[in-house]
Amino acid sequence: LCNGVIVAAPNAPFLREWYRSYHSFDKSQWSFHSVTLPKILASEHPDEVRQLAHDAFHWPLWDADGTKVMMDSFSYNYSSNLAVHVWNHGISRGPYANFSMSWCFECHSTLISMLRHYVPDPLFSVVMPCHRQAQYIEEALESLVSQTFPSWEVIVVDDASSDSCADVAEGFANRTHIESRLTVLRNSGNIGLAGSRNLAIRAARGVWICSLDADDKIHPEYFARAAHAMSLRPDLQLISADQQFFGLSQWRWVLPPWTLATITSTGPLPVMSLFLRSLWEQVGGYSASMPWGNEDYDFWMKLFEVGAKNVKLEGPALTLYRHKASSMMRDSESYVDEERSMLKTRHPLLFGPSKLLSAHEVVMNMSTPTRHKLRHLQGRDDLSDEDRRFGAFWLALADFGDGSYSAASSSLSQLAPSTRLGWQPALYIALAACKRNGSEAVRLLDELAALNKRLA
């Protein structure tokens, strides 16, 4: 009965008294009859009636185990809880129909101010590497200042930039009074996008990460819509949205479904898609071993492999990509086949043996600039053990392609076992042995290679 719940034995004296009071029931006074009158009668018959606290019907159990079930798992769904049942049916018609974390900052009431304490601040950490992009960085930062959801911070990484983009960022922060939200890191030498992003994420305080390049922007509603999605799906780990190009192109990228078919055929997500910091830690962050970029594509593949729970935000394009005459992505287009082939070798379970063998052949014939880039990356101190193994594997494949079978075999034999590399090094150690011995196996291998091409 509304917000009053009465439990009584049949024909209890209290109920008979209550029924007599209903003899002249007036429906316009329903609140008096169903809520106020029982409370009056209860005070008049203390020996017959026991009043319970208002929250007696709200929790699964009051003991420690019950509280843990309620707070730390999804196993208790309140399906038999009358109070929650009424709430779930009424919420779609009430003022809380669109309740989300954004309300904790947009609405002003005692209840909402209490909830604010439980929203992480910052909820979003924006990581922004900058190398010779000082002319654009203020626009990127302005798109953060314009966010309708205010719980964010930004970490700008000056990647040994000659145009002092860090100074530009600090100047903008002072003018717009966001100094408390800005952290600036300065690299002594250029370490690239992947290394700079990883560096910034290690310094981040937020729960969610947004990798925003210094020449791109995000829509003012991006964080608010993402926060609303989190309110509806507490299991989310990855959030994306369509991308609108601006500058020299006005193309809109409508994101494909998050499936194996799309993720293995084209870059599946914009770089500024949102992901949990804990997920970044789980997969080992961005790879710094890719010679021509594509570290974000590799990162999305790693998230797919671990089954990241994701959602695409429908509606307007919430990520904005600046299309310029020259960019890092277009400058490396001459090496896209080599880069994509290396990418495949990093994810053998997604592509399968046939595609991997074709990718190996491309890597064997890599260009001289790619070899130089790989050798330079191998000499970096900040490279992870896994990234160093892949760089060594690709250079060994190049030696194999040159006919330097002893050098290839020696390099491959020194590689530590790797779950991600899988069977690939062992195959070429065996092939190198066959090539060196000049046996009948060479003819058979050549026949198998020709057959594989025809099947492909």
Side-chain angles (χ1 to χ4, degrees):
L1 296 174
C2 188
N3 57 331
V5 182
I6 298 174
V7 181
N11 300 315
F14 171 81
L15 288 183
R16 291 201 298 271
E17 184 67 22
W18 190 30
Y19 292 161
R20 281 195 295 272
S21 302
Y22 270 173
H23 181 68
S24 59
F25 180 74
D26 181 357
K27 65 180 181 180
S28 67
Q29 299 296 317
W30 65 269
S31 182
F32 173 80
H33 287 288
S34 65
V35 180
T36 307
L37 177 59
K39 187 172 184 178
I40 293 173
L41 293 174
S43 63
E44 294 175 351
H45 303 274
D47 296 336
E48 299 176 19
V49 180
R50 177 186 176 192
Q51 293 190 70
L52 301 178
H54 71 281
D55 50 7
F57 294 88
H58 285 255
W59 309 116
L61 288 173
W62 271 112
D63 61 8
D65 290 339
T67 304
K68 183 172 180 61
V69 166
M70 180 183 65
M71 300 297 290
D72 296 343
S73 78
F74 293 99
S75 61
Y76 185 81
N77 60 15
Y78 294 92
S79 60
S80 60
N81 187 295
L82 295 178
V84 174
H85 178 76
V86 173
W87 166 265
N88 285 336
H89 280 73
I91 191 172
S92 61
R93 300 186 298 275
Y96 293 97
N98 295 314
F99 185 85
S100 73
M101 281 186 282
S102 298
W103 272 44
C104 297
F105 299 92
E106 297 167 359
C107 299
H108 303 284
S109 70
T110 302
L111 172 63
I112 299 301
S113 66
M114 291 168 64
L115 291 175
R116 262 181 222 147
H117 176 73
Y118 299 99
V119 177
D121 189 14
L123 181 63
F124 299 101
S125 288
V126 180
V127 298
M128 187 181 296
C130 183
H131 183 71
R132 293 186 295 189
Q133 293 176 322
Q135 59 182 316
Y136 304 118
I137 194 170
E138 289 196 0
E139 287 185 64
L141 292 171
E142 181 61 45
S143 74
L144 298 179
V145 175
S146 300
Q147 290 299 302
T148 59
F149 185 85
S151 181
W152 55 266
E153 67 168 351
V154 57
I155 300 101
V156 171
V157 182
D158 188 327
D159 195 19
S161 183
S162 58
D163 57 6
S164 303
C165 56
D167 296 337
V168 176
E170 289 178 330
F172 177 86
N174 292 333
R175 293 195 306 275
T176 55
H177 309 293
I178 61 165
E179 302 98 318
S180 61
R181 299 192 192 189
L182 171 69
T183 299
V184 172
L185 305 176
R186 289 176 168 85
N187 293 336
S188 57
N190 182 270
I191 63 173
L193 272 175
S196 295
R197 285 177 186 158
N198 288 334
L199 186 69
I201 295 173
R202 291 187 193 102
R205 296 180 293 120
V207 178
W208 287 81
I209 302 297
C210 174
S211 295
L212 178 62
D213 289 344
D215 56 346
D216 294 335
K217 301 186 290 186
I218 55 176
H219 190 282
E221 292 291 322
Y222 189 29
F223 289 166
R225 289 175 181 251
H228 182 60
M230 296 171 203
S231 302
L232 302 176
R233 287 270 311 274
D235 64 330
L236 282 178
Q237 299 172 295
L238 176 64
I239 300 174
S240 59
D242 289 347
Q243 185 165 89
Q244 178 64 55
F245 280 37
F246 67 99
L248 297 181
S249 173
Q250 299 301 312
W251 180 63
R252 173 168 172 160
W253 180 16
V254 178
L255 299 189
W258 179 252
T259 64
L260 177 63
T262 55
I263 201 169
T264 55
S265 61
T266 183
L269 298 175
V271 67
M272 56 282 274
S273 298
L274 304 165
F275 54 89
L276 286 176
R277 188 185 193 278
S278 58
L279 196 61
W280 169 85
E281 293 174 346
Q282 179 183 346
V283 301
Y286 288 98
S287 169
S289 66
M290 307 297 290
W292 302 108
N294 273 297
E295 59 281 319
D296 52 326
Y297 193 175
D298 174 72
F299 183 70
W300 303 138
M301 284 185 175
K302 290 198 283 190
L303 299 196
F304 185 88
E305 287 172 333
V306 299
K309 304 291 192 305
N310 70 96
V311 70
K312 173 188 169 183
L313 302 176
E314 300 297 340
L318 300 173
T319 63
L320 310 173
Y321 173 79
R322 186 186 300 272
H323 191 276
K324 307 191 298 287
S326 176
S327 70
M328 181 178 174
M329 182 174 67
R330 268 183 298 287
D331 292 345
S332 64
E333 284 180 351
S334 301
Y335 311 101
V336 65
D337 288 341
E338 297 174 11
E339 184 82 356
R340 291 297 173 90
S341 295
M342 292 177 187
L343 195 62
K344 290 175 183 178
T345 68
R346 289 181 56 85
H347 304 276
L349 295 180
L350 296 183
F351 290 94
S354 181
K355 290 182 179 179
L356 285 174
L357 290 173
S358 298
H360 293 163
E361 187 172 351
V362 174
V363 177
M364 286 180 198
N365 296 285
M366 71 172 70
S367 63
T368 300
T370 300
R371 296 190 194 205
H372 289 333
K373 289 269 283 187
L374 282 174
R375 291 193 181 103
H376 172 73
L377 288 171
Q378 288 296 96
R380 277 177 40 178
D381 295 332
D382 62 332
L383 211 62
S384 70
D385 290 341
E386 180 183 273
D387 285 345
R388 202 174 301 282
R389 278 194 292 269
F390 272 101
F393 174 62
W394 296 328
L395 289 170
L397 284 184
D399 287 338
F400 191 96
D402 291 340
S404 302
Y405 304 124
S406 295
S409 180
S410 175
S411 298
L412 292 169
S413 299
Q414 295 176 35
L415 290 180
S418 166
T419 302
R420 189 169 290 280
L421 267 171
W423 51 267
Q424 297 174 98
L427 171 65
Y428 286 93
I429 291 174
L431 293 180
C434 292
K435 290 284 189 180
R436 289 199 312 274
N437 293 335
S439 65
E440 177 67 11
V442 173
R443 185 184 63 80
L444 295 175
L445 288 168
D446 289 339
E447 289 183 6
L448 284 172
L451 176 62
N452 181 63
K453 285 185 178 179
R454 289 199 298 274
L455 290 174

